[in-house]
Amino acid sequence: MRISGLSKRTGVSVATLKFYLREGLLPAGQPTAANQAEYGDEHVHRVSLIRVLRDVAGLDLRTIHRVIDAIGDERVGRHELLGVVQGTLPRPPIAPDPDGEVTRARADVDAFLARLGWEVRLEAPARGTLAGALAALRRIGREVPAEAFSPYADAADRMARWEVLAVPASGSRSAQVEGLVVGTLVYGVVFDALRRLAHEHHSRCARAEDKP
Amino acid sequence: MRISGLSKRTGVSVATLKFYLREGLLPAGQPTAANQAEYGDEHVHRVSLIRVLRDVAGLDLRTIHRVIDAIGDERVGRHELLGVVQGTLPRPPIAPDPDGEVTRARADVDAFLARLGWEVRLEAPARGTLAGALAALRRIGREVPAEAFSPYADAADRMARWEVLAVPASGSRSAQVEGLVVGTLVYGVVFDALRRLAHEHHSRCARAEDKP
């Protein structure tokens, strides 16, 4: 199909498709004439993948580039890919730490993860995310220990165990790693949305019980 | 303290503080002289709150404004506030739906939530988030039913039940609602980070077991 057909199939404007092509996010089509190229199902798939990462996971274009490159790079193993996915976490900008709260929180988070017995790299970006969150809670006056994260760690542990088992060991490498990336990012958003709906449901129940 | 003292206490530059003042995110200080004002602990607290919402929860300034206004508005009840918090969810831009996947996914999500028996508003933004995620999965070739969300719904249900119970019923209204908002947003980020660390941990274990 021509680029206009690709636009029709995906619902993405021709201008945006041309931008993806220029940015190298979308591989070039098969040239058919000067300024014309033919696109196939793999292009439809790639555009859909870009839209998942952008519209559902909320990643910026630079991060999408990094993720797509890692999916396509045969040298990146399944385990290493998890590091790339972790790198897509929103990370607090490196801010001054006038009161030393971030440094203190980081030490607490590292000790907490060690007590859990989790084998995770010291440079795992998620450690910084947790330290930033803990420091932020303390700065608004919630003097919580890292142990406040325990119920969340238990839930995360259970979820991750069956998620890792659910990744099919068969199929092409790129299908597997794409499944891993999309699964982590999209089901993260799905869980967050379900948690907020469950808040609404349980808060309604709690309110109903308050009434005489 | 002067604005320079507020800057030192919070680690936020004077230029940024002035921007927050102009935007109405930070209430004005007590005027002491022309172009001078005195700031107190409540200003330190507000700046920390803005930074949590920005750096940890990753909200944009318009959304932060909406959240802070809701916290301060005595007419907004605890339950209504959950709607405001839901409104901070990343939402897929209203995109064309050339293949009707979003419409189909929305119907599936609504039916799924009805089967769960959750009492949530039809206009709850999280329904749209779930429909967008389901449509996105299907567009990249994962023909999943909404039931694929079941294990996530179970986990979200358990978590939300104890989270709603954990909000203290005592204390000032603004402390309560602030706790609710910050808890939903920050612990959402905390859970997501822990889930990714748990992936790393379990993927390492799975790999170790593969070896002879």
Side-chain angles (χ1 to χ4, degrees):
Chain A
M1 73 198 95
R2 303 266 198 82
I3 198 162
S4 56
L6 185 59
S7 165
K8 218 173 150 187
R9 273 278 293 279
T10 58
V12 173
S13 73
V14 170
T16 302
L17 292 175
K18 286 187 173 167
F19 172 74
Y20 292 162
L21 284 165
R22 274 199 310 278
E23 290 285 312
L25 283 170
L26 187 62
Q30 193 69 31
T32 48
N35 272 322
Q36 258 185 30
E38 187 67 15
Y39 298 89
D41 284 344
E42 70 279 19
H43 292 92
V44 174
H45 184 86
R46 172 62 64 87
V47 172
S48 301
L49 181 60
I50 297 170
R51 303 306 290 205
V52 176
L53 298 174
R54 217 201 69 158
D55 298 344
V56 182
L59 303 187
D60 58 41
L61 282 179
R62 234 180 58 184
T63 311
I64 293 176
H65 227 308
R66 206 151 15 102
V67 169
I68 285 186
D69 286 349
I71 290 178
D73 184 348
E74 293 290 334
R75 291 161 308 173
V76 178
R78 239 174 78 168
H79 186 70
E80 288 65 40
L81 198 75
L82 288 169
V84 177
V85 177
Q86 257 193 59
T88 64
L89 274 172
R91 228 168 324 166
I94 296 165
D97 188 19
D99 48 8
E101 283 291 4
V102 176
T103 310
R104 182 162 80 92
R106 175 59 197 247
D108 291 351
V109 163
D110 286 343
F112 172 67
L113 293 172
R115 280 194 297 278
L116 286 178
W118 287 10
E119 288 187 44
V120 281
R121 292 160 304 143
L122 262 179
E123 67 274 21
R127 288 179 187 259
T129 307
L130 290 175
L134 190 58
L137 288 171
R138 289 170 174 175
R139 282 192 180 132
I140 55 165
R142 278 152 233 279
E143 190 41 58
V144 284
E147 265 62 32
F149 294 171
S150 283
Y152 294 93
D154 290 346
D157 187 58
R158 265 195 306 276
M159 192 178 286
R161 200 180 309 135
W162 55 255
E163 282 179 326
V164 167
L165 287 174
V167 178
S170 60
S172 72
R173 175 195 166 282
S174 79
Q176 277 190 41
V177 297
E178 190 190 292
L180 195 68
V181 170
V182 170
T184 304
L185 295 170
V186 174
Y187 284 103
V189 171
V190 164
F191 178 77
D192 201 40
L194 285 167
R195 174 170 165 258
R196 298 191 198 199
L197 287 172
H199 280 162
E200 191 177 319
H201 171 59
H202 285 292
S203 145
R204 194 182 301 266
C205 299
R207 212 173 46 157
E209 282 162 19
D210 283 352
K211 286 186 186 149
Chain B
M1 74 199 93
R2 302 262 198 85
I3 197 161
S4 56
L6 184 60
S7 166
K8 218 173 146 186
R9 272 277 294 279
T10 58
V12 173
S13 73
V14 171
T16 302
L17 292 175
K18 285 188 174 165
F19 171 74
Y20 291 162
L21 285 164
R22 275 199 311 276
E23 290 285 311
L25 283 169
L26 187 63
Q30 192 70 31
T32 49
N35 271 324
Q36 258 183 31
E38 187 69 13
Y39 298 89
D41 283 344
E42 71 279 18
H43 292 91
V44 175
H45 183 87
R46 172 60 64 87
V47 172
S48 300
L49 181 60
I50 296 170
R51 302 305 290 204
V52 176
L53 299 175
R54 218 202 68 157
D55 297 344
V56 181
L59 303 186
D60 60 41
L61 282 178
R62 233 181 59 186
T63 310
I64 292 176
H65 227 309
R66 206 148 19 101
V67 169
I68 284 186
D69 286 350
I71 290 177
D73 185 347
E74 294 290 335
R75 289 162 307 174
V76 178
R78 239 173 78 167
H79 186 71
E80 285 68 36
L81 197 74
L82 288 169
V84 177
V85 177
Q86 257 193 59
T88 66
L89 273 173
R91 227 170 323 164
I94 296 165
D97 189 19
D99 48 8
E101 284 291 3
V102 177
T103 309
R104 183 163 80 94
R106 175 59 196 250
D108 290 351
V109 163
D110 286 344
F112 172 67
L113 293 171
R115 280 194 297 277
L116 286 178
W118 287 9
E119 288 187 44
V120 282
R121 293 161 303 143
L122 261 179
E123 68 274 20
R127 287 180 187 259
T129 308
L130 290 175
L134 190 58
L137 288 171
R138 289 171 174 175
R139 281 189 181 137
I140 55 164
R142 279 151 233 281
E143 190 41 58
V144 285
E147 266 63 31
F149 293 172
S150 284
Y152 295 92
D154 290 347
D157 187 60
R158 266 196 306 275
M159 191 178 288
R161 200 180 309 133
W162 56 257
E163 282 179 327
V164 166
L165 288 174
V167 177
S170 60
S172 74
R173 174 195 167 283
S174 80
Q176 276 190 40
V177 298
E178 192 190 291
L180 195 67
V181 170
V182 170
T184 304
L185 295 171
V186 174
Y187 284 102
V189 171
V190 163
F191 177 76
D192 200 38
L194 285 167
R195 174 171 166 259
R196 297 192 200 199
L197 287 172
H199 280 162
E200 191 178 320
H201 171 60
H202 285 292
S203 145
R204 195 184 300 270
C205 299
R207 213 172 41 155
E209 283 162 19
D210 284 350
K211 287 187 185 146

